[in-house]
Amino acid sequence: MERSEATMPVATTTRWRARAFAGPADFARMQALQRESWRRVGPLSESHPGDLEWWMYGLSDPDPAISTRICLWESEGGELRGWSWIFRGELEWFVHPDERDLELREQMLDWHAATQAELTPGGDELELSTWSTTIQPELGHELARRGYSDAGHVLVHFTQELRAKADADPAPALPEGYSIRSVAGMTDLPQRLAVQRSAFAPSKMTDERYARVMTAAPTYRPELDICAVAPDGTFAAFVLCWYDEPSRVGLFEPVGTHADHRRLGLAGAVCNEGLHRLRALGAERASVLSNGENEAAVNLYRSLGFVEVMRSVEWTKRIPRQGDPAAVEDPA
Ligand SMILES: CC(C)(COP(=O)(O)OP(=O)(O)OC[C@H]1O[C@@H](n2cnc3c(N)ncnc32)[C@H](O)[C@@H]1OP(=O)(O)O)[C@@H](O)C(=O)NCCC(=O)NCCS
């Protein structure tokens, strides 16, 4: 999609050039920036390369406007210093760990407002929302200064060191008749979809989306798509693990148990298997996020040895749309 001037924010007068997303090579660079952050600040990174793949393939349909929705912020020398993505209406963003002042974030906020207005024409008001983390309180202050208010949603970032985990940790016993196995490819798609949709009901997951995860997500590995199988052969629980080999960090996204099979220890069992498989691949750390209000998930991750490292807080604001100056009647 062609970008209009309205969405090319202040690009020439600052330290960064804003550039529209141009496809898989840019996607890989966005992930490389996350990886660099994991190397530098570890679990204080806002998101993981696997999150990007889940958002792009698991939670989105192919999007003809994707180049408008994602903006890359490069230095004069062409180095990627940050990216911003209007994902499901919210601003998701990531900046290089050396960009410590708020200037780049501020430009991303301006870009978000201009682009969101262009992408969602009509209505009197524009709704903007985004996230800041508890380790960057100054960003929260800046959002408040700009009129954003706390939306009341919190994401808890959990991590655990896998190097310290004993090799011989016993696998938790499964209830009788249940077993654990990897997703075996497209023949398992209907079952995998069914358990996903039950866990997250009402879910927006579709055949097409999950098939894209399995076939197009660059680092999807069937052996890390782990399910608990019920005595009747259906899938009862799952964890999809993402392994970023260069940074040696694994991610769980998503985790769930079918509504008919809860509180049997199945999510614990598949996640435990995920931790073992990640470790066997060379992972040194695992990471997972949970809604703060999701008591079951928070307890589950704590019971698996994850510890909280920080929180993300959602911010939102409504602004009146700017009228078209040409449409204002001249009283004279
Ligand atoms: C969260 C979820 C995956 C747990 O699945 P599960 O198979 O029932 O969990 P387990 O039986 O393995 O429970 C392991 C531990 O998690 C905690 N837990 C699980 N369900 C819980 C609940 N409803 N309330 C409080 N703690 C709970 C407990 O500590 C439990 O250990 P315990 O049974 O010895 O007390 C499941 O409730 C689910 O699918 N929820 C909807 C999807 C979701 O929220 N996924 C997580 C997104 S981050």
Side-chain angles (χ1 to χ4, degrees), residues 178 230-232 234-237 257-267:
Y178 287 82
D232 65 3
T234 59
F235 286 171
T257 298
H258 192 287
D260 297 342
H261 301 271
R262 295 215 172 133
R263 253 9 235 279
L264 297 173
L266 297 177

Side-chain angles (χ1 to χ4, degrees), residues 199-200 255-257 262-268 289 294 296-297 299-301:
F200 288 97
V255 175
T257 298
R262 295 215 172 133
R263 253 9 235 279
L264 297 173
L266 297 177
L289 262 80
N294 189 343
N299 288 346
L300 167 69
Y301 300 137

